[in-house]
Amino acid sequence: MKFANMSDKDRDFTSHRVPSASLVIEELKELWGMALPITAMNCLVFVRAVVSVLFLGRLGSLELAGGALSIGFTNITGYSVLVGLASGLEPVCSQAYGSKNWDLLSLSLQRMIMILFFASIPISLLWLNLETIMVFIGQDREITSMAATYCIYSLPDLLTNTLLQPLRVFLRSQKVTKPMMYCTLAAVFFHIPLNYVMVMVMGLGVPGVAMASVLTNMNMVVLLVGYVWASGRWEMRWTGGIGGVCGGVGPLLKLAVPSCLGICLEWWWYEIVTVMAGYLPNPNLAVAATGILIQTTSMMYTVPMALAGCVSARVGNELGAGKPYKAKLAAMVALSCAFLIGIINVTWTVILRDRWAVLFTKDDLLKGLVASVLPIVGLCELGNCPQTTGCGILRGTARPAIGAHINLGSFYFVGTPVAVGLAFLLKLGFKGLWFGLLSAQVACALSILYVVLVRTDWEVEALNAMKLTSIEMSGACNEVGDDREYQKNEEMKGLLMMNGNGNVDDVL
C-alpha cells in the first residue's frame, strides 16, 4: 500500500473520522507559522503609514489635512481596488500549488500583473483629477490643492502595487511568509531616513513625503523580486506565448472582480461612517472620534486580515491536493482562532476604554466620546474576526462572489439603514453609527458562518478545485489506507488546454 508509510500530515481522512489532537496541533502550527509573519508585515506597513502622517504633521496643519484627504482618496479609489483584485489570485495560486500545477501558478501571476496594470490606468486619471473632483463636491480649495500635490507624486505607486500585491499573494499561496516579513522590515527600516532626507534636508515638503512612500514600496518590490528570482520559485514561462497569457484573463477576472467588491464594499463603508459623522450636531468632535476609532479598528484588523489570507492559502492548498477534509480542518481551526481573537479584542476594549483615547488626544470631550463607543467597536470585532476569516475561506474555495453578496447585503442593506435610523431618526447620535456597524458585522458573520459551516460540501469543493487546476483524481477522495492517488490527466482541460500544434492554450 502506497500510503502505508504516510504520516497524518500527508494524508486526508474521511468525513466520519474526528481529527486527532495531533492533526489539530499540526494545523495550528501550519496556520500560525504563516500568519504570524504576515501579521508582523501588516504591522510594519501600518507603521510606515504612521511615519508618513507624522512627517506631514511636522510640515503644518494644512499639509496634514491635505495629506490625510489624499490618503483617504487614494485608499478608496486605488489601493483598495488593487488589493481586492489581487486577492482574486488566491484561489487559483493556492489550489495550483496544492496540485503542483507550476505552469498555472506562473501564468496566473503574469495575468494578474497585466490586470492590475490596466486597472491602474483609470485609477491614475482619477488621481490626476482629485482637485477638480474635491472642489466640485465642496471641499476647501487650499486643502484640496495640497491633497492634489500629494496624489500626483504618489502616481508611481500604482505601478509599484501592480507588482507588489500579486507577488504577496503568489508567495503566501506557497506558504512563503517569513521572506515577505523580512523584505518589508528592510524596506520600512529605510522609510524614516528617506522621509527625513527628502522632507527635512532637501526641503521637498509634501511631495517629499509622497515620494518617500513610493520609494519604500519600490524597495519592497525589488527585495521580493530578488528573493523570488534567487529562490527559483518562479521561472519566467510564457507558456503558449503572450496570446496564451492574455487569453486567460477573462476567467481570472471572474474571481478577481467579486474578490475586489467583497473587500472594497467593507472598506468603503468605514469612509461612509466618517461622512455621516460630519452631519451630527457636533461634527468636529464626531469626525475626530471617528478617525481615532477607525485607526483602532485598522490596528485590530491586522491579525484577522493575516489569518484570512493564510487560511485562504491553506484551504486552497489542501483542496488542490485533493484533501477535502484537511481543507475543512484548516477552516475550522482558523474560525476557532478568529473567535478567540474577537474575544480578546472585546476584553481589552472594555478594560482600556477610559485610557485608550489618551494616546491620541488631550481633549476631555473627545476622550469621553471615544471611551463610550470603544466597547461597541470591540463587539464589532467579535463579528469581524470570524467574518474576515470566513471570507478568506470562501476565497480559498474559489467562491468570492458569495462573500461579495454577503458584504453588500450586510453593510448597505442592514448596517446603513440601522446607522442612519439610530443616529439621526432616533437621535442616538455618534453611538448610533457604531451600532449600525455592529448590526452589519453580526449579519455578515452569521451569513458567512452559515455558508461555511452548513452549505459547504468539501468533497464537491475538492472536485471543483480539480477542475480549476486541470487535475483529475483517480478516485473520489483518498482515505486512510487507500492506495488510490491523484493523477494528472494526460489531456489537459479547463485552465490549461493543448492546441493542435502541441502548444498550451490557456483559457484562464
Side-chain angles (χ1 to χ4, degrees):
M1 302 286 282
K2 184 159 183 177
F3 288 163
N5 296 322
M6 290 175 65
S7 65
D8 278 354
K9 181 180 177 181
D10 300 318
R11 62 173 73 166
D12 201 18
F13 46 88
T14 68
S15 60
H16 305 293
R17 178 185 165 195
V18 177
S20 63
S22 62
L23 277 172
V24 174
I25 293 171
E26 191 62 44
E27 182 56 43
L28 280 168
K29 289 179 180 178
E30 286 271 1
L31 185 63
W32 286 104
M34 295 172 62
L36 288 177
I38 296 296
T39 301
M41 184 187 78
N42 291 339
C43 291
L44 287 168
V45 172
F46 181 75
V47 167
R48 186 206 62 183
V50 170
V51 169
S52 296
V53 171
L54 289 174
F55 273 92
L56 285 169
R58 288 187 63 121
L59 291 171
S61 58
L62 177 62
E63 287 81 0
L64 178 59
L69 177 62
S70 180
I71 290 170
F73 184 82
T74 54
N75 279 337
I76 293 170
T77 61
Y79 297 120
S80 63
V81 175
L82 296 181
V83 170
L85 286 172
S87 68
L89 197 60
E90 288 182 3
V92 184
C93 278
S94 60
Q95 293 183 14
Y97 179 75
S99 63
K100 297 179 173 57
N101 193 334
W102 314 125
D103 281 338
L104 178 59
L105 193 63
S106 176
L107 284 164
S108 298
L109 176 60
Q110 296 169 39
R111 289 165 180 162
M112 185 52 69
I113 290 172
M114 185 165 59
I115 288 171
L116 295 191
F117 174 77
F118 284 108
S120 67
I121 295 173
I123 293 171
S124 65
L125 294 177
L126 278 174
W127 287 17
L128 286 168
N129 289 281
L130 179 147
E131 187 167 8
T132 303
I133 294 169
M134 289 297 161
V135 169
F136 178 76
I137 63 175
Q139 292 291 320
D140 181 85
R141 286 184 177 273
E142 287 188 352
I143 294 175
T144 297
S145 177
M146 195 63 66
T149 301
Y150 187 96
C151 203
I152 288 171
Y153 282 92
S154 297
L155 278 171
D157 216 20
L158 288 174
L159 287 177
T160 305
N161 276 270
T162 293
L163 295 172
L164 180 61
Q165 300 305 332
L167 274 174
R168 283 175 173 169
V169 177
F170 176 78
L171 291 172
R172 189 173 65 230
S173 299
Q174 300 175 65
K175 307 178 185 179
V176 180
T177 57
K178 285 184 180 179
M180 284 199 289
M181 178 187 69
Y182 293 135
C183 290
T184 304
L185 176 62
V188 173
F189 181 78
F190 290 103
H191 186 58
I192 296 177
L194 274 173
N195 273 278
Y196 182 79
V197 170
M198 302 189 86
V199 177
M200 300 300 172
V201 178
M202 299 177 66
L204 295 177
V206 169
V209 177
M211 287 188 287
S213 292
V214 171
L215 288 173
T216 297
N217 277 346
M218 284 184 178
N219 289 336
M220 288 185 198
V221 170
V222 170
L223 290 168
L224 282 177
V225 169
Y227 168 77
V228 171
W229 192 269
S231 65
R233 288 191 170 273
W234 177 36
E235 297 176 15
M236 180 61 79
R237 306 178 187 183
W238 291 99
T239 316
I242 187 67
V245 174
C246 295
V249 166
L252 184 56
L253 278 171
K254 291 180 181 178
L255 293 172
V257 171
S259 296
C260 180
L261 287 174
I263 289 173
C264 289
L265 286 170
E266 182 176 357
W267 197 330
W268 294 340
W269 201 86
Y270 286 90
E271 302 300 331
I272 292 173
V273 168
T274 304
V275 172
M276 287 194 289
Y279 291 103
L280 291 171
N282 191 340
N284 291 338
L285 187 66
V287 171
T290 301
I292 293 173
L293 291 169
I294 287 178
Q295 287 297 317
T296 304
T297 58
S298 296
M299 182 194 70
M300 290 191 285
Y301 190 59
T302 55
V303 180
M305 181 170 64
L307 188 62
C310 293
V311 74
S312 176
R314 289 289 305 126
V315 168
N317 288 164
E318 299 296 355
L319 290 177
K323 301 174 183 176
Y325 297 107
K326 289 291 288 292
K328 181 180 180 180
L329 174 63
M332 297 305 105
V333 168
L335 284 173
S336 301
C337 292
F339 275 111
L340 180 59
I341 294 166
I343 292 170
I344 292 171
N345 284 330
V346 172
T347 303
W348 82 257
T349 52
V350 170
I351 293 174
L352 299 179
R353 60 180 177 177
D354 293 319
R355 301 178 184 178
W356 183 250
V358 177
L359 300 175
F360 299 89
T361 182
K362 295 180 180 179
D363 188 303
D364 289 334
L365 287 176
L366 185 54
K367 286 188 289 186
L369 189 58
V370 170
S372 67
V373 174
L374 194 59
I376 302 173
V377 174
L379 286 173
C380 290
E381 287 302 308
L382 185 59
N384 184 48
C385 290
Q387 173 253 321
T388 302
T389 304
C391 283
I393 294 168
L394 292 178
R395 289 198 301 272
T397 58
R399 296 180 293 168
I402 296 176
H405 283 110
I406 290 174
N407 278 355
L408 175 63
S410 299
F411 284 95
Y412 295 87
F413 293 100
V414 176
T416 301
V418 170
V420 172
L422 292 178
F424 299 102
L425 298 181
L426 298 181
K427 307 298 183 182
L428 282 184
F430 190 64
K431 281 187 179 181
L433 296 180
W434 294 93
F435 277 122
L437 176 62
L438 178 59
S439 67
Q441 294 287 14
V442 169
C444 198
L446 290 177
S447 300
I448 286 178
L449 288 174
Y450 173 73
V451 172
V452 172
L453 299 177
V454 180
R455 302 291 297 175
T456 298
D457 187 323
W458 292 96
E459 289 186 2
V460 170
E461 295 307 324
L463 291 172
N464 290 337
M466 174 193 73
K467 296 174 185 177
L468 187 70
T469 58
S470 301
I471 299 291
E472 289 195 353
M473 295 185 294
S474 58
C477 288
N478 59 327
E479 299 183 0
V480 177
D482 190 351
D483 60 356
R484 292 174 301 178
E485 60 180 322
Y486 300 118
Q487 301 175 4
K488 283 190 178 181
N489 195 340
E490 293 178 1
E491 197 172 336
M492 300 295 280
K493 296 185 291 183
L495 295 174
L496 296 170
M497 298 180 66
M498 300 297 293
N499 64 19
N501 299 323
N503 295 323
V504 178
D505 275 334
D506 304 284
V507 295
L508 177 61

